[in-house]
Amino acid sequence: MLQMWLNGIEGLLQLRELAFLGLGMFIGLFFGAIPGLGGAAALALLMPLTYGLEPFTALALSGGVMGGVPMGGSITAILLNTPGSAPNAATAIDGYPMAQQGRAGLAIGAAASANATGGIIGTVSVLAILPIAKDIVLLFGPPEFFLLALLGLVIVSTTSRGKLLRGLITGAFGLMVAFIGYNDVSGGERFTYGIEYLWDGVHLVPALIGLFAVAEMINLSVKGGSVSNNAASVKITSMTGGLLQTFRHWPTVIRGSLIGTIVGAVPGVGGVVASFLSYSMTVQAAKESERDTFGKGNIKGVIAPEAAINAKDCSALIPTLAFGIPGGVEMAVFMGILIVHGMQPGPLMLVDHQVEIYGLIWALTASCVLASLVGLLLVRPLSRVTLLDSQILVPIVLCVAFAGSYAIDMTIENVVLTAVFGVIGYLMIRFDYPRLTIVIALVLGASAERNFHQSMLMSDGKWSIYLNRPICLVLLAGMIALLLLPVARAVSQQFAGRKALPQRGSA
Amino acid sequence: MKRVFGTPVTDYMPALGLFAITIAYLATAYHYSPDARAVPAGVAWVMLVLVSFDLISRTRTNIGLALMHWLNPAGDPDQTKDQKRYPALKQLSAVIWVAGFAAALVLIGILYAVPLYVFSSLYFRGRRPLLLAIGMSATATAMIWLLFAVVLRLELYPGMLFGGA
């Protein structure tokens, strides 16, 4: 085991790998600072560029991006009350008031050190869990993997904050799209409507570039102006004090990191839950007299979510790598990079690609620490990015997005697919349908169908196979509970009269 | 605007669109062998049920409000009425610019489409100074060419009109 860790570090400590790690970290910082872009868009844009790279180098680049994004997001959350990515919204609750009070430097310093510390704690936790994860994963067969794919979709739908139904709809829509193309079971093509390009199925990477990068750019050009119009608040004061504050409040860092690690390991729950849960637990754990200061510039309110976000990024690798179920959108796109480089996420990956996995974990950790340091140095110019006019930002990002989509396999149809998914993605934003479930369905659809057919072959077509295996029963129970829980909660609230249901004709 | 069950007709459009797509998908699925259609058809039937719930939840009837409250509280019109809405024409224009750029890439290739799109986007749409538009379009084209053609050694698509397949 120790040898694998060392091999991972050794692989990373090459000039080429370190250069790409640094490049990824800068890109991550840049994309993290721009609300709406974030890690998923950065990885989606970079995916085609990794084609010419060695797998290990591509992982170093990806690790750099994933490690850099949270720091970029926290800078704009604190300075402009504009979270770069959704999880950073929790940071803004106390970070922005600190900036208004002239303590922006303190807040950014604390965010940077909490980010780095959270990343390190998350890495240690993942390194401890990974060896056990392999044994657990090997207990899973086709029936379990089929149900696990469904459970992943259900979990993601239920965590779409009040959008259970629409989450399930986009999940089902994603599955329908995932079934397009050549079918291994019947040996023929399906739903291609005579389009030869679709015989290979809907290409994941151009679809993801469309769903995120293009859709966000359409949205930005509709909204107009710049990402942030509040130039007055881009003001920085001393930052070193903040670095020390994190270590002074070490219980908050440890708690946040552990919450991030646990939440990150659950597929689809994501950074928003991790950061807000960490924030609320910190408020709950505070003394009665201190609680009133939260939301008004308490530094613990910055440290807690930031530690959780980076720890979550590390542990989200567990379901992604071990089960092939992405922990979130960013991980779903990252899975695309793994697949592009011939690494199929799932149980065998933990056996066949151990050096790459450990290299990736170290890359992610190194990037967290480096991004925190560089973020502190670059905070002034980075904050200006959010003031860039959409009229300039949108064409540049779209050019890179479409050219990148074409470059994946030099197929111009990719560009059309990206545009189509860009429009679909924008419609999903416009009509308030979550996009995460469609991504997970696109990733899991084919394997879910294959595992379903294999299960049916194993049982001579008897559905009882899903009831005869203990792990299947646990997964089924989990799925039913997750589906019923939000409904039961809403119904009980309604009947208890705590939340009165609006009656017909009301406004 | 015309209302059906207390809800503007346009609010049903997303669910109705999904309903129509699913029906077409299901009709296609039944042309395939039982093995090939088993999972896709199953998913499509589930989709129809879910979209039906979505349609009903959009009505301002008691059952619609209850479904919205239980299954999709974030989509409640009362909670989303304060959200900023943008004119349909503006949204359509943003989509058309993207579609136009994609079409230009296919027809005239990357090296012509990129400067054309960046220039027209800045000069005609953004009403930016001519020099800035020219500078930005040249920079963007150079960046794409350097990154893809020089660094990654990929052949940039020449466009259907110029011999692209």
Side-chain angles (χ1 to χ4, degrees):
Chain A
M1 179 54 59
L2 188 65
Q3 189 56 45
M4 286 296 164
W5 291 18
L6 294 174
N7 288 346
I9 294 176
E10 194 186 340
L12 192 65
L13 290 178
Q14 308 293 325
L15 190 64
R16 188 180 163 86
E17 274 66 29
L18 288 175
F20 275 92
L21 170 72
L23 175 70
M25 186 233 6
F26 275 109
I27 295 170
L29 271 173
F30 178 79
F31 273 75
I34 302 176
L37 292 189
L43 286 174
L45 276 172
L46 277 177
M47 198 183 300
L49 307 184
T50 68
Y51 258 173
L53 301 176
E54 291 291 318
F56 204 97
T57 316
L59 292 186
L61 181 70
S62 311
V65 171
M66 290 190 281
V69 166
M71 186 61 216
S74 62
I75 291 172
T76 43
I78 291 166
L79 289 175
L80 307 164
N81 203 18
T82 311
S85 54
N88 294 115
T91 311
I93 300 173
D94 275 284
Y96 187 59
M98 285 181 75
Q100 286 175 312
Q101 294 157 13
R103 297 192 294 152
L106 198 71
I108 291 172
S113 49
N115 246 307
T117 318
I120 292 167
I121 295 173
T123 303
V124 172
S125 313
V126 171
L127 289 174
I129 294 168
L130 259 184
I132 314 165
K134 189 167 69 181
D135 294 331
I136 297 169
V137 166
L138 293 176
L139 294 172
F140 281 58
E144 285 82 7
F145 276 115
F146 171 68
L147 289 180
L148 197 61
L150 293 187
L151 181 66
L153 272 174
V154 170
I155 289 174
V156 174
S157 305
T158 52
T159 51
S160 303
R161 284 166 295 153
K163 296 177 196 165
L164 171 66
L165 180 60
R166 290 186 191 173
L168 290 171
I169 287 173
T170 49
F173 180 73
L175 284 175
M176 283 162 56
V177 175
F179 299 139
I180 292 172
Y182 185 81
N183 174 235
D184 298 337
V185 180
S186 65
E189 45 84 27
R190 298 177 302 186
F191 308 107
T192 57
Y193 301 100
I195 302 168
E196 205 176 309
Y197 168 73
L198 292 175
W199 274 51
D200 290 338
V202 168
H203 296 213
L204 183 67
V205 185
L208 292 181
I209 294 175
L211 273 175
F212 293 98
V214 176
E216 290 298 345
M217 286 304 109
I218 296 176
N219 197 30
L220 187 58
S221 58
V222 169
K223 287 197 283 190
S226 59
V227 169
S228 173
N229 294 313
N230 192 3
S233 61
V234 185
K235 192 172 68 180
I236 312 293
T237 53
S238 74
M239 288 173 271
T240 42
L243 291 168
L244 301 173
Q245 286 288 328
T246 296
F247 299 103
R248 205 179 134 213
H249 298 293
W250 61 269
T252 308
V253 182
I254 302 276
R255 184 173 43 243
S257 304
L258 291 179
I259 289 171
T261 304
I262 294 165
V263 172
V266 183
V269 175
V272 178
V273 177
S275 62
F276 277 92
L277 190 63
S278 175
Y279 182 86
S280 352
M281 295 281 276
T282 301
V283 176
Q284 294 301 322
K287 289 175 191 160
E288 193 67 41
S289 56
E290 194 190 2
R291 279 187 201 163
D292 284 346
T293 63
F294 282 94
K296 296 171 187 166
N298 189 319
I299 199 159
K300 284 189 196 172
V302 173
I303 294 168
E306 286 300 316
I309 293 167
N310 260 14
K312 183 274 305 173
D313 281 343
C314 292
S315 65
L317 288 172
I318 295 172
T320 311
L321 300 177
F323 294 94
I325 295 177
V329 182
E330 193 178 283
M331 285 294 154
V333 183
F334 174 63
M335 268 179 72
I337 294 179
L338 291 175
I339 294 165
V340 158
H341 288 278
M343 290 177 272
Q344 184 65 45
L348 283 178
M349 179 149 184
L350 297 181
V351 179
D352 297 340
H353 298 283
Q354 287 196 37
V355 176
E356 285 87 351
I357 290 173
Y358 287 112
L360 169 69
I361 292 169
W362 291 122
L364 190 54
T365 315
S367 178
C368 289
V369 178
L370 278 174
S372 299
L373 296 173
V374 176
L376 291 174
L377 296 172
L378 294 181
V379 74
R380 286 179 182 88
L382 273 175
S383 60
R384 294 276 160 199
V385 167
T386 59
L387 303 172
L388 203 62
D389 196 299
S390 64
Q391 301 283 2
I392 293 170
L393 189 67
V394 170
I396 301 297
V397 172
L398 283 181
C399 287
V400 178
F402 279 118
S405 174
Y406 164 74
I408 292 165
D409 49 10
M410 314 281 282
T411 312
I412 196 65
E413 286 88 342
N414 284 350
V415 168
V416 180
L417 187 73
T418 298
V420 169
F421 272 85
V423 176
I424 292 174
Y426 175 69
L427 289 174
M428 291 174 80
I429 296 172
R430 166 69 182 80
F431 295 114
D432 204 21
Y433 285 86
R435 283 175 293 169
L436 180 55
T437 39
I438 195 173
V439 177
I440 289 180
L442 280 174
V443 172
L444 297 177
S447 72
E449 185 180 19
R450 191 172 52 250
N451 282 312
F452 170 78
H453 283 293
Q454 283 176 355
S455 308
M456 288 292 108
L457 280 173
M458 282 167 65
S459 65
D460 291 327
K462 292 186 184 116
W463 288 75
S464 57
I465 191 168
Y466 297 112
L467 301 171
N468 294 336
R469 299 163 71 103
I471 298 177
C472 284
L473 281 174
V474 172
L475 294 170
L476 272 173
M479 217 182 313
I480 293 165
L482 279 167
L483 281 172
L484 292 181
L485 206 65
V487 182
R489 196 183 297 130
V491 172
S492 68
Q493 277 177 350
Q494 184 188 336
F495 284 103
R498 273 179 284 166
K499 195 174 180 182
L501 182 69
Q503 290 304 299
R504 189 178 174 177
S506 64
Chain B
M1 186 180 289
K2 195 180 175 196
R3 286 175 177 265
V4 175
F5 295 113
T7 304
V9 178
T10 49
D11 284 9
Y12 293 109
M13 289 304 172
L16 283 173
L18 283 169
F19 204 91
I21 290 168
T22 311
I23 293 283
Y25 187 91
L26 207 48
T28 311
Y30 277 94
H31 284 105
Y32 304 134
S33 66
D35 268 351
R37 71 168 179 247
V39 179
V43 170
W45 280 113
V46 171
M47 177 77 164
L48 278 184
V49 173
L50 293 171
V51 175
S52 303
F53 280 149
D54 193 16
L55 265 175
I56 298 167
S57 74
R58 287 167 189 270
T59 63
R60 302 296 283 173
T61 58
N62 283 340
I63 188 162
L65 290 166
L67 274 176
M68 180 65 84
H69 182 66
W70 295 338
L71 298 175
N72 206 52
D76 191 331
D78 289 342
Q79 289 187 26
T80 56
K81 66 184 174 190
D82 294 334
Q83 284 176 7
K84 195 170 180 183
R85 303 248 168 143
Y86 297 95
L89 205 62
K90 196 174 182 185
Q91 296 181 62
L92 193 64
S93 156
V95 170
I96 286 172
W97 271 91
V98 170
F101 181 37
L105 285 166
V106 174
L107 288 174
I108 59 173
I110 293 172
L111 281 179
Y112 292 117
V114 166
L116 183 71
Y117 167 69
V118 176
F119 176 80
S120 47
S121 188
L122 287 172
Y123 188 69
F124 297 115
R125 194 176 178 211
R127 309 234 180 270
R128 297 281 163 159
L130 181 69
L131 276 180
L132 177 80
I134 292 172
M136 285 297 294
S137 58
T139 309
T141 313
M143 193 175 75
I144 297 287
W145 177 74
L146 269 175
L147 190 63
F148 292 97
V150 178
V151 178
L152 296 172
R153 293 175 196 166
L154 301 173
E155 189 194 339
L156 293 175
Y157 185 67
M160 277 171 73
L161 298 179
F162 301 109

